[in-house]
Structure formats: structure tokens, C-alpha cells
Amino acid sequence: MPYNYKECKLQIYFPKEHHWCLFPLNTYISYSIIDSKYGLIRNEDKSSFYYTTNIELDNSQSINNISFFISNATMEDINFGLSFGYHNTIETSSIVHNLYQRREIDKKIFAFEFFNNKSSFHIGGIQYDKQNYVQYKGSIKINENFPTWGFELKEIMFHNVTYKINLPVIINSASNFLFDSDELYELFSNFHKVNKEDTIDFIFHSLIIKINARCFNNNYSPSIMKSSARKDEQFKGIIIGAQFLELFNYTIFDYDKKQIEFYSDRIVIIEPYSGLLKRMILFIEIICVANIIIIIYQQGTIVRNKLTNQYYLIFRLN
């Protein structure tokens, strides 16, 4: 399904209400939320209320009995939209789980694709597994204690200097920034002599992502936003936004594997422990094979000795 490039939004049609809207895809919230500016339906007696209806995604995929919270107030983009959060994934509020229960998809995953200035949103998988043909790839296991899809940013490395961060990070595709963080805003404001060709290394829990400095010079909005400007104070860590997802050809969110996968032909991705683990596994396999050979040899020696002893014993008795 194609969606609005530079903003993770999808055309949604409400057939019962005869209403179209360009709706944010939100990987933060656990329930889909509609605010007053969409004018879908109002209830003057309540500031917010629960509403169940049918929708069509991009006028192609029908989904029945999807539940929304409808607010009569105007909300920030990061706080409303179509829910693709990790928690509270019940069929009535999660599109992915709704389609999976109806057996219209066989994997509980969704993915963002950015390629050649075009963007797509995938549910259930990527056709022909196209993500496997890009040069760089890596995955991060999420921390299920975080409010949604998230992990830890351990360090940032710039000009061979390592900066300890050790802060929780979550992904909110409804945020239009690269990062939303007071700490990163302060850190990057102190970086001097930054050239466009410089690389800034982000060291997450099990992944290193090398981002070119030119990615921080965005033409349509600031790349790093102060989190103190947020009205939502529920999460105090770092928020990764849509600009971050746009760095990659594919970003896959997998409910069953509890991980996020990144694929890119332009952003270098390194799994620092993968090579070491492969070498360790190979070393262990070599040791196992050697032990098997030794055991077989020893068993063969024992058998030969037994046969030899038996031969001589028989010879002596004669």
C-alpha cells in the first residue's frame, strides 16, 4: 500500500460514515485514536468515547469491527493515529492481529518501505522477500518492558570519541523527526566541525548504525526535536521518528520474533557480535568433530585390543 512520503500516513476510508482521511500510522499507541480535526463523528456529551466501525485501507483492504477512541480535542500527531503499537494487540484494536485471525496474512508483521523516493506500507510480509537483496541488514530484539517497540541506545561515537547514552528508545512513526530527545539535542549542539561526509555511529543494544551527518540537515523539518517541547510526558526517553525510518529501504516490525529488522543499501548496519558468534560456533563445531574422531579412534583401539587379546587367549589355550 503506498502512503504519503516523508510522513507515515495512509489514506483510510470509513464506508459507513462516507468519510476519507489521511491517517498517521502510529507505532507508539496501543489503540487507534481519532481527534476532532478529522470530523468523523462527534459526541458533545463526552470528551472522548469508544467507537467501533469498518475501514478500508487505501480503498483496497476491508477491515471490519476495528475499534477507535475518538477525542473531541485536537491532539499532537505523536499521540493519535492508526495503532501499530506492540502492546494490547487484541483483534478489535490491532489491524495486524485482525487480519491474522481472519487468515488473510500468515505472519504478524508490518513493514515500512522507502525506495527511489517512493514509500509503501506492508502488512504480513514483503513480496518476494525483496529486503534480503539489499547490502546491509540487522535486527534488534525489543525490550518488552518499554511502552512499545523499543530498545536501548548505549553509545554514540563521533570523531573517534565515544559518548555514553544508556537511554531507552522507542519508535513512533507518527513523529516527523529523526530523534525527539533533550539529551541528543544537547549533545549534537556541542558537536563542532561537522562535515557532510562525517559519519555518526549509533550503538544500540546489538546493532551499530552509521548515519551520515548530511541526514541531520533536513529540508522540510528539524532532525532533532527537544523532548521538553512535548506535551506528552508519559515516556521520558528518546523517540525515534519517521525521518529515521526513511534512512532504510525496509524496516520490519515482527510481533512473534519480538524484534525490529533494518535493511538498507545506503546506511551501513553492523551486527558486532554476529561475526564473533559465527567464529565461536565454527570453533565449537571443529572441537566436536575432533572429539568424535578421537572417540571413534579410541573405540576402535579398544575393539582391536579386545580382538587381539581374544586371539592370543585362544592361541594359548590351544
Side-chain angles (χ1 to χ4, degrees), residues 43-315:
N43 185 334
E44 301 297 341
D45 297 330
K46 297 180 179 179
S47 59
S48 63
F49 56 97
Y50 202 57
Y51 184 70
T52 300
T53 187
N54 303 332
I55 62 173
E56 293 180 6
L57 303 181
D58 195 40
N59 203 24
S60 59
Q61 178 65 58
S62 297
I63 303 176
N64 298 330
N65 300 320
I66 287 291
S67 300
F68 295 82
F69 280 107
I70 297 184
S71 172
N72 289 331
T74 300
M75 305 174 69
E76 291 184 286
D77 282 357
I78 64 171
N79 294 326
F80 75 93
L82 207 58
S83 169
F84 286 91
Y86 179 75
H87 296 292
N88 296 332
T89 49
I90 59 175
E91 186 178 342
T92 55
S93 62
S94 169
I95 287 176
V96 173
H97 289 73
N98 181 293
L99 294 174
Y100 181 79
Q101 291 297 327
R102 289 161 48 185
R103 298 184 179 179
E104 296 193 29
I105 59 175
D106 57 8
K107 295 179 181 178
K108 294 197 288 287
I109 67 175
F110 64 91
F112 296 93
E113 176 185 358
F114 293 90
F115 193 70
N116 291 336
N117 288 332
K118 294 181 181 179
S119 55
S120 299
F121 184 66
H122 306 265
I123 300 177
I126 297 175
Q127 193 176 26
Y128 309 122
D129 292 327
K130 294 185 293 183
Q131 74 276 11
N132 292 325
Y133 298 97
V134 300
Q135 184 175 3
Y136 304 107
K137 60 194 70 176
S139 62
I140 305 179
K141 290 291 184 181
I142 66 168
N143 187 326
E144 295 185 77
N145 294 320
F146 291 179
T148 187
W149 305 93
F151 34 83
E152 186 182 50
L153 176 59
K154 297 172 68 176
E155 299 170 347
I156 288 177
M157 184 177 292
F158 179 63
H159 285 174
N160 295 320
V161 178
T162 300
Y163 302 87
K164 298 289 184 181
I165 305 297
N166 294 324
L167 287 173
V169 174
I170 62 170
I171 297 181
N172 186 337
S173 55
S175 170
N176 293 326
F177 303 102
L178 189 68
F179 295 105
D180 186 337
S181 165
D182 282 344
E183 292 82 4
L184 295 190
Y185 186 93
E186 184 68 26
L187 176 62
F188 278 75
S189 65
N190 291 325
F191 284 170
H192 301 293
K193 297 181 180 179
V194 179
N195 299 315
K196 289 184 178 180
E197 300 306 317
D198 285 340
T199 298
I200 302 171
D201 293 358
F202 289 80
I203 301 156
F204 296 102
H205 177 67
S206 59
L207 212 62
I208 298 174
I209 296 178
K210 294 177 174 289
I211 301 179
N212 195 282
R214 73 168 71 93
C215 297
F216 293 87
N217 299 320
N218 199 285
N219 293 325
Y220 69 96
S221 69
S223 294
I224 303 180
M225 177 70 176
K226 279 189 172 183
S227 59
S228 54
R230 283 187 235 148
K231 294 180 182 178
D232 175 26
E233 294 296 330
Q234 294 180 1
F235 178 71
K236 303 293 185 181
I238 298 170
I239 291 179
I240 285 177
Q243 286 186 39
F244 186 89
L245 300 179
E246 291 161 17
L247 299 176
F248 305 92
N249 298 73
Y250 305 95
T251 306
I252 298 177
F253 297 75
D254 193 317
Y255 286 98
D256 288 330
K257 292 182 179 179
K258 302 176 182 179
Q259 69 182 23
I260 303 170
E261 303 167 14
F262 299 96
Y263 300 83
S264 178
D265 59 7
R266 52 190 181 269
I267 297 295
V268 177
I269 303 170
I270 301 172
E271 291 186 286
Y273 304 111
S274 60
L276 177 60
L277 284 175
K278 288 177 181 177
R279 289 193 294 272
M280 289 177 63
I281 291 171
L282 178 61
F283 180 69
I284 292 170
E285 288 176 347
I286 292 172
I287 292 176
C288 290
V289 171
N291 285 334
I292 290 171
I293 293 172
I294 292 170
I295 291 170
I296 292 173
Y297 176 78
Q298 289 175 339
Q299 290 294 327
T301 302
I302 292 171
V303 170
R304 285 196 302 273
N305 289 338
K306 285 183 177 179
L307 289 174
T308 303
N309 291 336
Q310 193 174 28
Y311 170 78
Y312 279 110
L313 181 62
I314 295 171
F315 178 81

